[in-house]
Amino acid sequence: MLKISCLRSGYGKMVVLHEVDMEVRDGEIVVVLGPNGAGKTTLLNSIFGLATVHGGDIVFEGRSILGMRPFDIVKAGISYAPQLDNVFPNLTVVENLLMGSFIRGDDPTVRRDIEEIFNLFPEIERRKNQKAKTLSGGERQMLAVARALMSRPKMLLLDEPTAGLSPKAGSTLMRKIREIRDRGVTILLVEQNVKRALEIADRGYILVSGRVVKEASAEELGKVEIEKLFLVGARS
């Protein structure tokens, strides 16, 4: 579904990613692991048209999406829930969900999809008329994922969705992410909690200092001392 080839990207003249090759197949959860500053968020920003691409290609469903605006990338079928500033704090839960469906215009099925979202995330249904800034950290992250789903994406990009959450809230959200995949949405996940991510992923990549140092199945990565790879990659 997504194929990244020899990607060099960053911000302005600064290059963060170096010759990154990666692919995500239809129906997978693929996790990107790595230490802070490895370039994980830059990878997602590059896919979503928010970073400067200096070389390589990003192909989604057989079509290059390089140079496309985020709006057009959403229309192509990719949605993104960033780690920070991922909800509209002064809008209610329902208003946030409606904002997530903006590309669908007057689609009469939007309200039905909101009900389906509430079936998936009953935690935020109870807060549906509250402003997002009043939600707990876990509820805000659920709303961010839910908002991204409202465009009916084929692929969902998630940047550290469990960051700052309690272990219980983080585990709950990870179960929801797996359920989203089971409902037909392919997922590319950046996550700091290695154990939790590998429990739901099919495959994973380890990114260190802007380079992929290992790619393997989640089962194989679970047997690797990943922290040592972080250090080896950083020194190489």
Side-chain angles (χ1 to χ4, degrees):
M1 178 175 278
L2 182 76
K3 186 173 181 62
I4 299 171
S5 306
C6 299
L7 179 66
R8 295 178 65 250
S9 66
Y11 305 97
K13 294 182 179 180
M14 181 178 68
V15 177
V16 177
L17 298 179
H18 306 273
E19 310 300 328
V20 168
D21 292 320
M22 190 175 294
E23 66 177 37
V24 182
R25 301 163 193 150
D26 188 13
E28 284 188 315
I29 297 176
V30 173
V31 63
V32 181
L33 305 170
N36 290 334
K40 304 185 298 296
T41 296
T42 301
L43 173 68
L44 299 186
N45 285 345
S46 299
I47 296 167
F48 205 64
L50 298 173
T52 305
V53 175
H54 297 276
D57 202 2
I58 302 171
V59 174
F60 179 65
E61 293 194 318
R63 172 191 179 193
S64 177
I65 58 174
L66 283 186
M68 289 175 60
R69 301 173 300 166
F71 175 84
D72 294 316
I73 291 172
V74 173
K75 289 177 68 175
I78 299 176
S79 194
Y80 184 17
Q83 181 184 358
L84 302 173
D85 301 322
N86 52 19
V87 297
F88 298 96
N90 291 314
L91 299 183
T92 66
V93 167
V94 170
E95 288 168 342
N96 267 273
L97 296 177
L98 290 172
M99 288 295 289
S101 66
F102 72 99
I103 68 163
R104 296 169 59 183
D106 295 326
D107 184 342
T109 64
V110 165
R111 289 289 177 176
R112 185 189 66 195
D113 285 357
I114 289 177
E115 292 306 313
E116 290 187 10
I117 287 291
F118 286 153
N119 287 333
L120 179 63
F121 294 109
E123 297 87 348
I124 62 172
E125 181 180 19
R126 294 191 288 268
R127 316 284 191 197
K128 63 183 180 181
N129 295 316
Q130 291 182 216
K131 290 186 177 181
K133 65 184 179 183
T134 69
L135 304 182
S136 69
E139 290 165 345
R140 281 197 302 273
Q141 289 301 93
M142 289 181 188
L143 177 57
V145 175
R147 178 199 53 76
L149 287 173
M150 284 300 297
S151 65
R152 288 189 173 177
K154 300 173 184 176
M155 173 174 285
L156 183 59
L157 311 179
L158 298 175
D159 191 3
E160 299 195 19
T162 69
L165 300 188
S166 68
K168 181 179 179 180
S171 295
T172 297
L173 185 52
M174 280 297 189
R175 288 196 300 271
K176 304 285 188 181
I177 291 169
R178 181 164 51 194
E179 186 174 345
I180 290 166
R181 186 278 306 276
D182 293 343
R183 292 183 177 204
V185 181
T186 301
I187 294 172
L188 180 58
L189 169 68
V190 164
E191 179 57 41
Q192 285 281 28
N193 190 309
V194 172
K195 181 176 183 297
R196 190 183 288 155
L198 292 178
E199 286 175 351
I200 68 166
D202 297 292
R203 293 187 302 113
Y205 291 83
I206 298 177
L207 193 65
V208 181
S209 299
R211 301 179 188 276
V212 173
V213 299
K214 188 171 181 63
E215 182 266 328
S217 68
E219 182 180 5
E220 182 180 343
L221 288 175
K223 301 174 183 177
V224 172
E225 292 188 68
I226 289 178
E227 288 76 9
K228 287 187 177 180
L229 284 176
F230 288 1
L231 295 173
V232 170
R235 290 196 297 264
S236 62

